[in-house]
Amino acid sequence: MAFLLSRRDFLGTALAAGVLPILPAMVRAAVSSEPKRLVAGTRTLEVDGRPARVFGLVGPDGRPGIRLAASDRFHVELANETGTPTIVHWHGQLPPWTQDGFPWPQTPPIASGAVQTYDYAPIPGTYWMHSHHGMQEQSLMTAPLIVHDVAEVREDRQEVVLMLHDFTFRTPDEVLAGLTATSAATAMAQTAEDGAGRKGGGNAPEPRMADMAANAPSLLMSGMAMSKRDGARMDLNDVHFDAFLANDRTLADPEIVRVERGGRIRLRIINGASSSQFWIDLGELIGRVVATDGHPVHPVAGSRFPIATAQRLDILIDLPRAGAFPILAKLEGAGQQTGIVLAAAGARISRIADSAQTVPPLDNSLEARLTAVAQLPPRPADVVRTITLGGGMKPYAWSMNGEYWPRVTPLMLSEGQRVEIELFNRSMMAHPIHLHGHAFQVIAIGGRPIHGAVRDTVLVPAMMGRVRIAFDADNPGRWAFHCHNLYHMVTGMMTEFRYQAIAA
């Protein structure tokens, strides 16, 4: 599948003027439109010569996901044709909480054959959509969600979307069973839905999994102390995947994106992997990061950039000449890679191996250099909390402040408050932490204040890593706050931010 929009096509879609703001209180009004139809279904994907049955989300143009012009509302009819319940989260968007696509008791999953309508004013940028039902995300129930900004028209750039996945021929239940040392049947029972009455919704582990996790902290802490005493390094890549995909393809048959000689590109990269993190390698090209998680930042130039699970990067590239230019995503701490090729007409395209030299674990070196174009207005914090991330591989259970979803204590907020959260990671793995329904600013890394990026997902480094974020409580509702490593989330690393006026 090719995610490609020509400059001429895009110019024809621009119907509004002015630069669009990023924060929810400033979201522009948008005119009503006829709903766009999005179909959740199944498909057969060939991976290295083997067929696999996976999910898919197909928009009205026959391509994965949804693309909106600058004037469009997010007016979408989601038709569930999967044969099983599902629910889709609009990752990074700021809708009313009942349209967020999370399985709270008030917003249960969509039955097979049913249609759910969504209608809200979107914010511009590079976003994505994915299932929040069970572990369907691992089975590729994901797609791009691109909301164009009229400012991009002035750039006159070719748009290329690169969506990354990790892939396994095993079922998600088999993967979880291997991690938790249980049978596949037990793992399936532990993650099964039991309807709208279940506290926390459809992704939550059953109470018996939470009970198992509740016995973990003393073991985890003693194991951590031993690991640090023995000089052990952080844990990486706790799932062994069969392949890594770029726009549904491996490097055995990569997507070739046709570009003009000396073309100007806006590369939108989405890390839609369930539990893998990558270094983006532009090879001989130099790019400028101009947006993170959909929100503009002052440009940062380079040829290699980290992208944590669920994060997005917008990178501007000016091709120096005609030719073929691989854009690679290299798995952290390993030598596996995937990617696409930008190629001018007639360019010779060489075969690219799916393995290369091992790259280091992700870090926050880029994060420390980023500065948001639109900063949070300075003001004292009304709510300041520390959330400690804990857990480990044996037993495989992950927590926030020693609590395991769904048995958590919500952080109660009032509309209008400024909230600061210090994320402190006592575990041996880095965690990409995502907040639903709000855009936050990164304001400190490792205790050092910065005027960082506006994001919805931030990486908290392993082994005593600290990241501080701030946001304004301006979107009342119930909001999930969780690690976006799917298997960390389903074994406990999730909590709730709830506004005072919202009933549980």
Side-chain angles (χ1 to χ4, degrees):
M1 61 181 178
F3 305 139
L4 179 60
L5 182 70
S6 74
R7 296 198 299 270
R8 287 177 292 276
D9 291 340
F10 177 60
L11 286 167
T13 69
L15 301 175
V19 176
L20 302 176
I22 65 168
L23 295 179
M26 302 168 64
V27 172
R28 73 197 191 282
V31 297
S32 297
S33 60
E34 290 299 314
K36 298 180 184 296
R37 186 172 176 85
L38 178 70
V39 177
T42 59
R43 60 202 171 103
T44 299
L45 182 68
E46 185 176 289
V47 180
D48 291 337
R50 292 178 59 187
R53 197 69 176 165
V54 297
F55 292 112
L57 289 160
V58 179
D61 58 0
R63 295 185 294 171
I66 293 286
R67 289 151 186 80
L68 300 178
S71 63
D72 287 348
R73 287 185 67 83
F74 187 89
H75 191 187
V76 171
E77 290 181 343
L78 172 60
N80 181 7
E81 299 180 3
T82 63
T84 188
T86 194
I87 194 167
V88 175
H89 168 54
W90 320 112
H91 186 114
Q93 287 290 306
L94 312 175
W97 75 280
T98 54
Q99 298 191 51
D100 182 55
F102 185 87
W104 299 112
Q106 299 93 331
T107 55
I110 305 165
S112 179
V115 177
Q116 180 74 47
T117 300
Y118 304 84
D119 191 2
Y120 64 87
I123 57 172
T126 302
Y127 299 93
W128 64 302
M129 60 186 75
H130 62 83
S131 173
H132 241 301
H133 180 86
M135 295 182 287
Q136 291 176 345
E137 179 187 329
Q138 177 69 82
S139 299
L140 274 60
M141 185 76 91
T142 67
L145 170 52
I146 309 299
V147 183
H148 291 110
D149 188 317
V150 72
E152 296 164 7
V153 177
R154 305 187 186 107
E155 291 177 354
D156 189 26
R157 289 181 177 273
Q158 178 180 344
E159 176 178 288
V160 178
V161 177
L162 167 56
M163 190 158 193
L164 302 169
H165 287 113
D166 41 25
F167 174 83
T168 173
F169 288 100
R170 292 173 291 164
T171 68
D173 298 300
E174 289 171 332
V175 172
L176 182 60
L179 291 169
T180 59
T182 64
S183 70
T186 301
M188 185 177 297
Q190 288 170 337
T191 58
E193 294 289 350
D194 66 0
R198 176 171 159 187
K199 180 181 177 183
N203 280 333
E206 288 286 346
R208 60 180 172 274
M209 181 176 283
D211 288 339
M212 177 195 77
N215 297 321
S218 60
L219 296 171
L220 295 174
M221 292 311 301
S222 62
M224 181 181 296
M226 181 178 296
S227 295
K228 291 185 71 65
R229 187 167 59 246
D230 296 343
R233 295 181 296 178
M234 70 180 73
D235 293 319
L236 292 172
N237 304 320
D238 45 3
V239 178
H240 173 76
F241 289 99
D242 295 304
F244 295 91
L245 309 181
N247 295 349
D248 279 357
R249 300 164 77 161
T250 68
L251 284 174
D253 180 28
E255 180 182 20
I256 310 300
V257 179
R258 292 300 175 186
V259 296
E260 298 176 1
R261 178 187 179 96
R264 290 157 45 83
I265 309 296
R266 176 178 279 260
L267 178 63
R268 300 182 186 267
I269 305 176
I270 303 167
N271 186 355
S274 61
S275 65
S276 300
Q277 307 189 129
F278 303 92
W279 289 94
I280 301 302
D281 190 341
L282 305 183
E284 66 179 279
L285 301 175
I286 298 296
R288 290 173 289 141
V289 172
V290 294
T292 56
D293 293 358
H295 301 275
V297 295
H298 293 289
V300 174
S303 59
R304 191 177 75 163
F305 304 102
I307 186 166
T309 304
Q311 289 184 335
R312 286 89 63 213
L313 294 174
D314 281 30
I315 303 176
L316 304 186
I317 299 172
D318 297 327
L319 300 179
R321 52 177 171 77
F325 304 94
I327 306 295
L328 300 177
K330 300 186 175 185
L331 179 66
E332 68 167 343
Q336 295 160 283
Q337 61 184 11
T338 188
I340 61 174
V341 180
L342 308 179
R348 182 177 178 273
I349 301 171
S350 301
R351 180 176 174 81
I352 306 169
D354 62 6
S355 61
Q357 185 175 357
T358 299
V359 296
L362 254 64
D363 57 31
N364 273 336
S365 56
L366 174 62
E367 202 72 55
R369 300 172 61 197
L370 296 172
T371 305
V373 170
Q375 308 270 329
L376 274 178
R379 56 173 280 196
D382 304 295
V383 177
V384 179
R385 295 288 187 275
T386 296
I387 295 181
T388 300
L389 311 178
M393 298 293 291
K394 293 184 178 180
Y396 193 87
W398 305 89
S399 66
M400 287 183 166
N401 282 345
E403 296 182 328
Y404 299 81
W405 181 269
R407 295 181 175 177
V408 300
T409 305
L411 174 60
M412 303 303 296
L413 304 175
S414 295
E415 189 171 3
Q417 290 179 322
R418 169 65 57 85
V419 184
E420 291 190 7
I421 304 293
E422 179 86 2
L423 293 163
F424 175 42
N425 187 1
R426 299 188 68 174
S427 80
M428 303 297 285
M429 289 194 75
H431 298 286
I433 302 298
H434 171 53
L435 174 60
H436 287 225
H438 301 77
F440 57 74
Q441 186 171 8
V442 180
I443 61 171
I445 297 176
R448 183 176 69 85
I450 62 173
H451 299 287
V454 171
R455 285 193 174 278
D456 55 64
T457 307
V458 68
L459 183 70
V460 186
M463 300 184 294
M464 308 303 176
R466 289 182 180 270
V467 174
R468 181 174 284 246
I469 63 174
F471 65 94
D472 288 330
D474 52 13
N475 196 4
R478 300 184 69 176
W479 301 106
F481 185 66
H482 63 88
C483 179
H484 222 285
N485 182 313
L486 178 63
Y487 300 99
H488 295 181
M489 181 183 70
V490 299
T491 55
M493 191 172 275
M494 178 159 58
T495 191
E496 177 187 354
F497 291 179
R498 186 194 307 162
Y499 285 66
Q500 296 284 353
I502 306 298

